[in-house]
Amino acid sequence: MELGCAVLVLVMLAGLLVTGKAEIYIVTVEGEPIISYKGGENGFEATAAESDEKIDTKSELVTSYASHLEKKHDMLLGMLFEHGSYKKLYSYKHLINGFSVYLSPEQAETLRRAPGVKTVERDWKVRKLTTHTPQFLGLPTSVWPTGGGFDRAGEDIVIGFVDSGIYPLHPSFAAYHTDPYGPVPKYKGKCEIDPGTKRDFCNGKIIGAQHFAEAAKAAGAFNPAIDFASPMDGDGHGSHTAAIAAGNNGIPVRMGGHEFGKASGMAPRARIAVYKALYRLFGGFVADVVAAIDQAVHDGVDILSLSVGPNGPPATTKTTFLNPFDATLLGAVKAGVFVAQAAGNGGPFPKTLVSYSPWITTVAAAIDDRRYKNHLIMGNGKSLAGIGLSPSTHPNQTYTMVAANDVLLDSSVKYSPSDCQRPEVLNKKLVEGKILLCGYSFNFVVGSASIKKVSETAKALGAVGFVLAVENVSPGTKFDPVPVGIPGILITDVSNSMDLVDYYNVSTPRDWTGRVKSFKAIGRIGDGLMPILHKSAPQVAVFSSRGPNIKDFSLHDADLLKPDILAPGALIWAAWSPNGTDEPNYVGEEFAMISGTSMAAPHIAGIAALLKQKHPDWSPAAIKSALMTTSTKVDRAGRPLQAQQDSKTEAMKLVAATPFDYGSGHVNPRAALDPGLIFDAGYEDYLGFLCTTPGVDIHEIKHYTNSPCNNTIGHPSNLNIPSITISRLVGTQTVTRTVTNVAAEETYTITARMHPSIAIETNPSAMTLKPGASRKFSVTLTARSVTGTYRFGEITMKGSRGHKVSIPVVAMGNRR
C-alpha cells in the first residue's frame, strides 16, 4: 500500500474547551531569534549574520543570547501559571523565538492575552508523505566523475533528515567499506546513545542522530516499546529516504533469494544527520518537527530533506506561507540551508499540494523507466498479463490450479479464506505441488492483508506458486509489484481475472453439493524478475499532488508556481528497517520498493548535495534555480511529458502534463552542475513576496519574521525565481527578472512562447554577461481574451557557448 504521505490531521477543538483537557501549543513571543538578532538588548551583542549564511552556533555571543531567550520563556510561564500546572516541551531560539508548551485551553487563552506574546497556535499532527534511479538520472557517467567519482560524490556535505529515524546497522549506511570519514568541523550536532546496546548511532557516515518526542509524550501518543526513545527507525520510512539521498554506492538489493541490482544514494559520500520526529502509528506533532528543524539548522546541516508537511488550516494562520512549518523553514533558508520537501500525495486532483512557499524546493514524483510485468499462461492457451516480482514456474511444465475456497479444511470458516492469509485453514495435501488461486479483497487495500503473507501461505503449504486475482476495483487504485521468493502474480485487470475464473470453473467438475470432484485447470507463471525499460519515462505519477498553488486556506490561487521540479518517486528500491511496519509487504526485510513524493524529495536533496559540493558558495535559491532552469520537459523518446490520471478502467489514463504537474520539468543533474545563469534570491526578497501578496496580514508577517514589511518588488510575480505565475492577468502586466552569470562570458538570445489567448514579449531580446555579472530583463503579458482557465508558456534563453535556460510561464486572463 502506498505511503499516505505528508498529510496533516487536525485535532478538533470541539468539546475540549468545556473539559479543559490539556493540549500542546506553539507560542511565539516578541524579540528576535538568533538568526535575525541585530543587537539592542542590554549586554547582548548581535548574532545575525550580514547575509543569508550560517552562524557559528558555538560562539559565546550565540550561546549567551540563546540562554537569555530560554530564561525569558521560562520566566513568562512562571509568572503566569502555577508550577506543575503546565509542561514546557521545547524552547525555540534559533529560527523562531518561542516555545511549545502542554497546558489547558484556558491557560492558552491567558497566554494569548499576556504582554509580549505574539501568537499561540494549537499543535496538530503530521504524517509521512509516503535502485535504479542513479543510472536513469545519468549520475555515474555524467555527474559523479566531475566530483572525483562516486567515492567522493557529496564529500563533506551534511544532509539532515527530519523523518522516522534510521537503522544504523544497514550496509547502505556502513562506514567500514569506504575510505575513512574525517571530522566535519562545521557540523555541531550530537549522537544519542542507543539505550539498549549502549552504542551511539554515529559511525562517520552517520554524523548526527537525535530524536524529538516531547510533544508526542505529552499527548500520550508515544509508546517506547515500538516507537523507540532513540533515533532508531521503528517504521522504515526514515531509513528509506536517507538511503535514497546519501546511501552508499553499490549495495546489493537482495530479497527472496534474488538480487534486484545494486542500490546507491544520489550523493553516496554525503554525511547523514538524523532528526527523528515521526513515529510508527501516529505520525508526529508539529512541535516536535519544528524542534527538529530548529536543531538541524543550529547544528549546521547544509541540506534538509523533508518527506512530511502540514496540510489543512492551522488554528490561527490564514496564509499558507506563514504556517509554523513554512515560517521555520524561512529561517532555515536565511541560514543558508537548502530545503527539499515532498509535494504531497493528493494527486491527481488540483490544489492538493502541501508545500507552498518560494523558499522551499517542492518536489513532485515521477515514474521512471522500469516496469515489472508478468504473465499467467492458462491451459486453454490464453495469456493473462499481471504484475509479480517473482521467478517463473518450471518453464516447460504446467501445474494444476486450486482455488483457496475449494481446499478449505473446514467449510464453516467465518472470515474470508480466499485472501490466503492463514495457511492453517487450507488443506496442505490438496495444495502441495499446485498453483494456489487467491482473491484480492479489501483487506489488501487497508493493509490487514499483504501479498507477502500470500507468498508465505503458499510456501508453507508446498504450493509451486500463487495467483492473486483482483475481481473488483475502485477507479484509480494503484498496484505496485511486490518481490516474493516463489512464483507469484497479481492479476490487476478485472476482465483478465474474470477470464481466469471462467476457465477455472469450466475446467473444474463438481458434484451436486458444489464440492470439487477433480482439479483439471492448469497453468504456468512467467518470469517477472526482469524489468522492462520504457522510453515513455518519465511520467508524472498519479498520486503526485498537483497545482495550482494556494496562498491561503480558503484556496485562493497564489502568484507562485508549485511544484518546482519532478524527480523519481515511484517503485524506488532503498534501505529498510527490519523493525519497520510502514509497509506490510516488507516487514522484516532489509530493502523495500515503495512509492510516494516522500521518495522524490530525497532524490533532490542528494542532487543538491552534489551541486553544493561543486559550488560551495551558492545560496539555496541558486541551487534551486540551477535544478529548475536545466530540467527537461520531454520523455526518453523526445515527446512532451505526460501525466497519469485516474480512469474508470483499471489502466491509468495518460494526459499531456502541465507545469501544475511537474513545475519546471524533470530534474537533469548533469545540466544542473553547469546552468550558465541563475535566478538568485534571499530572505529580503522572500519578505517582499509576502508583503506584496494580496490578502496577507502585515501584522501576521511581522509576528513570524520579526521584520517590517518591504514592498520593493511591487507585485508577488516579481519575486526573482525561475518561473512566472500571474493568477489574475487583467489587461497588461510586466514582470522583471534578474539573471546572474555563473560561467564564462556569454551572449544569450531570449525568446518566448505562450498560448494565443495571451500575448508575451521580452525585453531585451539579447544580452551579453561577463562572469559574475547580473542583468535584468522584463516580460510583458497581455490578456487577448478572457478564458477563465490557466494558459502555459515558456521563456528560453539560449547562450552562445551552449547553455540553455528555460522558465515556465503560467497566467489566467481575467476581467477587471
Side-chain angles (χ1 to χ4, degrees):
M1 213 162 95
E2 178 205 330
L3 288 167
C5 301
V7 181
L8 271 180
V9 182
L10 281 173
V11 183
M12 299 308 291
L13 195 59
L16 294 177
L17 291 172
V18 182
T19 62
K21 182 175 178 285
E23 290 194 77
I24 300 157
Y25 293 86
I26 298 170
V27 182
T28 61
V29 295
E30 284 177 5
E32 303 278 352
I34 291 163
I35 198 83
S36 54
Y37 173 59
K38 296 187 173 72
E41 290 212 27
N42 273 347
F44 297 98
E45 290 182 44
T47 55
E50 288 301 308
S51 57
D52 297 359
E53 58 189 42
K54 287 190 171 66
I55 287 168
D56 179 5
T57 54
K58 294 292 185 194
S59 72
E60 175 61 29
L61 285 180
V62 172
T63 54
S64 63
Y65 183 63
S67 171
H68 166 69
L69 291 180
E70 185 153 5
K71 279 179 190 158
K72 284 178 78 169
H73 301 162
D74 294 340
M75 200 184 303
L76 173 66
L77 288 165
M79 285 188 331
L80 290 175
F81 309 119
E82 252 180 72
H83 183 70
S85 69
Y86 65 90
K87 185 180 183 197
K88 191 189 82 171
L89 307 175
Y90 300 103
S91 269
Y92 305 126
K93 300 159 291 197
H94 197 75
L95 305 179
I96 56 174
N97 178 18
F99 52 88
S100 51
V101 61
Y102 187 63
L103 38 65
S104 70
E106 292 85 353
Q107 288 173 305
E109 214 32 65
T110 304
L111 251 182
R112 222 171 246 121
R113 293 194 295 267
V117 171
K118 297 202 295 191
T119 60
V120 177
E121 191 152 331
R122 190 166 36 83
D123 197 334
W124 69 107
K125 279 183 176 173
V126 299
R127 287 196 310 192
K128 303 173 297 290
L129 284 172
T130 288
T131 213
H132 162 87
T133 45
Q135 283 74 25
F136 178 67
L137 295 169
L139 297 179
T141 54
S142 306
V143 177
W144 291 345
T146 66
F150 74 83
D151 52 350
R152 288 287 171 267
E155 183 82 74
D156 290 345
I157 303 297
V158 181
I159 308 178
F161 297 88
V162 177
D163 214 300
S164 66
I166 198 162
Y167 181 64
L169 304 177
H170 198 282
S172 287
F173 313 125
Y176 52 77
H177 66 292
T178 61
D179 281 353
Y181 284 98
V184 181
K186 67 183 177 188
Y187 182 73
K188 310 289 198 300
K190 66 180 184 184
C191 283
E192 289 183 18
I193 305 292
D194 186 321
T197 64
K198 307 298 180 205
R199 288 163 54 185
D200 79 31
F201 276 77
C202 296
N203 61 2
K205 171 72 174 172
I206 302 170
I207 197 173
Q210 301 169 58
H211 83 289
F212 300 81
E214 293 306 316
K217 288 173 185 170
F222 186 84
N223 177 353
I226 59 169
D227 292 320
F228 302 111
S230 77
M232 177 62 78
D233 185 3
D235 180 282
H237 192 266
S239 301
H240 201 269
T241 54
I244 289 169
N248 289 327
N249 181 57
I251 305 302
V253 178
R254 292 194 187 96
M255 260 188 89
H258 180 75
E259 185 177 308
F260 289 93
K262 303 278 197 290
S264 172
M266 301 294 103
R269 188 70 179 172
R271 311 298 182 96
I272 293 167
V274 177
Y275 298 87
K276 175 177 166 182
L278 302 180
Y279 295 88
R280 184 184 290 199
L281 296 177
F282 59 86
F285 290 83
V286 172
D288 289 330
V289 173
V290 167
I293 294 168
D294 197 65
Q295 188 65 48
V297 176
H298 172 275
D299 291 346
V301 301
D302 296 298
I303 287 154
L304 263 178
S305 179
L306 296 174
S307 292
V308 57
N311 176 32
T316 56
T317 316
K318 296 181 196 73
T319 310
T320 50
F321 313 124
L322 289 175
N323 72 71
F325 227 79
D326 287 44
T328 306
L329 292 170
L330 176 56
V333 170
K334 183 170 172 52
V337 178
F338 175 90
V339 181
Q341 186 180 20
N345 289 0
F349 307 105
K351 294 192 181 184
T352 47
L353 295 157
V354 298
S355 175
Y356 313 103
S357 298
W359 47 89
I360 297 165
T361 301
T362 301
V363 189
I367 307 280
D368 71 13
D369 58 351
R370 269 175 327 156
R371 308 283 193 279
Y372 289 98
K373 299 287 182 191
N374 205 346
H375 288 83
L376 170 70
I377 298 95
M378 299 189 295
N380 61 2
K382 193 160 188 182
S383 175
L384 304 180
I387 55 176
L389 266 172
S390 80
S392 65
T393 52
H394 194 284
N396 302 317
Q397 201 173 332
T398 56
Y399 296 86
T400 304
M401 298 196 286
V402 297
N405 283 341
D406 290 330
V407 292
L408 291 176
L409 284 171
D410 178 1
S411 58
S412 65
V413 173
K414 290 185 175 60
Y415 55 86
S416 165
S418 66
D419 58 13
C420 300
Q421 297 297 290
R422 295 179 61 180
E424 65 272 19
V425 303
L426 302 177
N427 188 330
K428 185 171 183 177
K429 286 181 183 167
L430 294 177
V431 176
E432 210 159 12
K434 302 180 180 69
I435 293 173
L436 179 62
L437 304 184
C438 310
Y440 188 93
S441 66
F442 184 67
N443 294 336
F444 289 87
V445 180
V446 297
S448 58
S450 70
I451 297 171
K452 179 185 173 80
K453 190 67 185 164
V454 175
S455 156
E456 289 169 356
T457 296
K459 196 171 180 182
L461 296 170
V464 296
F466 68 87
V467 178
L468 192 53
V470 177
E471 294 181 55
N472 51 57
V473 64
S474 306
T477 303
K478 191 168 75 67
F479 299 103
D480 283 350
V482 174
V484 289
I486 67 169
I489 186 169
L490 173 66
I491 308 288
T492 57
D493 190 294
V494 173
S495 62
N496 280 348
S497 294
M498 291 302 103
D499 284 352
L500 171 60
V501 171
D502 291 346
Y503 167 68
Y504 179 79
N505 286 337
V506 165
S507 309
T508 309
R510 300 171 186 271
D511 64 19
W512 64 274
T513 66
R515 187 175 295 152
V516 174
K517 286 184 185 177
S518 60
F519 295 99
K520 296 284 180 62
I522 57 170
R524 59 187 173 88
I525 297 168
D527 185 348
L529 291 173
M530 292 305 293
I532 302 156
L533 299 182
H534 277 243
K535 283 199 167 174
S536 59
Q539 295 166 355
V540 181
V542 67
F543 57 79
S544 186
S545 288
R546 312 295 211 257
N549 193 15
I550 53 170
K551 67 181 179 182
D552 56 41
F553 291 107
S554 302
L555 304 184
H556 293 120
D557 292 8
D559 292 309
L560 176 73
L561 179 63
K562 289 284 174 174
D564 292 307
I565 198 155
L566 187 65
L571 307 182
I572 304 298
W573 276 114
W576 199 244
S577 170
N579 309 309
T581 57
D582 193 46
E583 290 286 329
N585 287 314
Y586 296 99
V587 172
E589 300 291 355
E590 273 212 325
F591 290 91
M593 183 175 68
I594 52 178
S595 303
T597 51
S598 276
M599 284 64 251
H603 277 91
I604 293 299
I607 294 164
L610 301 175
L611 267 65
K612 184 78 176 170
Q613 179 188 14
K614 186 171 182 188
H615 306 283
D617 56 340
W618 276 13
S619 68
I623 294 172
K624 178 179 174 180
S625 171
L627 291 166
M628 288 177 67
T629 60
T630 58
S631 60
T632 177
K633 284 156 278 294
V634 294
D635 66 19
R636 281 274 166 102
R639 297 170 302 220
L641 288 178
Q642 293 183 296
Q644 292 185 333
Q645 274 285 352
D646 282 345
S647 168
K648 296 248 179 337
T649 64
E650 186 275 327
M652 292 291 172
K653 192 168 67 173
L654 288 173
V655 297
T658 76
F660 288 154
D661 304 318
Y662 58 67
S664 60
H666 191 277
V667 65
N668 178 352
R670 183 187 56 75
L673 284 173
D674 179 21
L677 302 175
I678 56 166
F679 295 74
D680 211 352
Y683 185 79
E684 290 299 322
D685 302 294
Y686 298 132
L687 202 55
F689 168 81
L690 290 172
C691 295
T692 54
T693 295
V696 178
D697 182 343
I698 59 166
H699 300 297
E700 206 172 59
I701 295 170
K702 188 147 181 14
H703 275 331
Y704 280 102
T705 64
N706 298 293
S707 305
C709 251
N710 81 64
N711 297 303
T712 48
I713 69 168
H715 189 276
S717 295
N718 285 324
L719 177 64
N720 200 47
I721 53 173
S723 63
I724 293 171
T725 304
I726 303 174
S727 61
R728 284 181 57 82
L729 176 63
V730 177
T732 296
Q733 188 172 329
T734 299
V735 300
T736 58
R737 288 292 183 272
T738 302
V739 288
T740 302
N741 187 9
V742 290
E745 182 174 329
E746 195 163 4
T747 299
Y748 285 86
T749 55
I750 307 175
T751 55
R753 60 174 180 79
M754 193 74 195
H755 186 273
S757 64
I758 295 173
I760 186 167
E761 281 180 53
T762 59
N763 184 35
S765 57
M767 55 171 71
T768 301
L769 293 97
K770 290 190 170 359
S774 297
R775 286 283 304 273
K776 270 190 178 175
F777 68 94
S778 65
V779 180
T780 302
L781 298 168
T782 304
R784 286 180 170 146
S785 61
V786 177
T787 60
T789 55
Y790 277 103
R791 301 303 187 188
F792 305 101
E794 186 176 50
I795 293 163
T796 304
M797 308 176 75
K798 279 191 176 164
S800 53
R801 296 167 59 88
H803 289 108
K804 183 184 172 188
V805 172
S806 60
I807 67 170
V809 181
V810 179
M812 186 198 291
N814 274 272
R815 290 188 176 83
R816 291 188 187 280

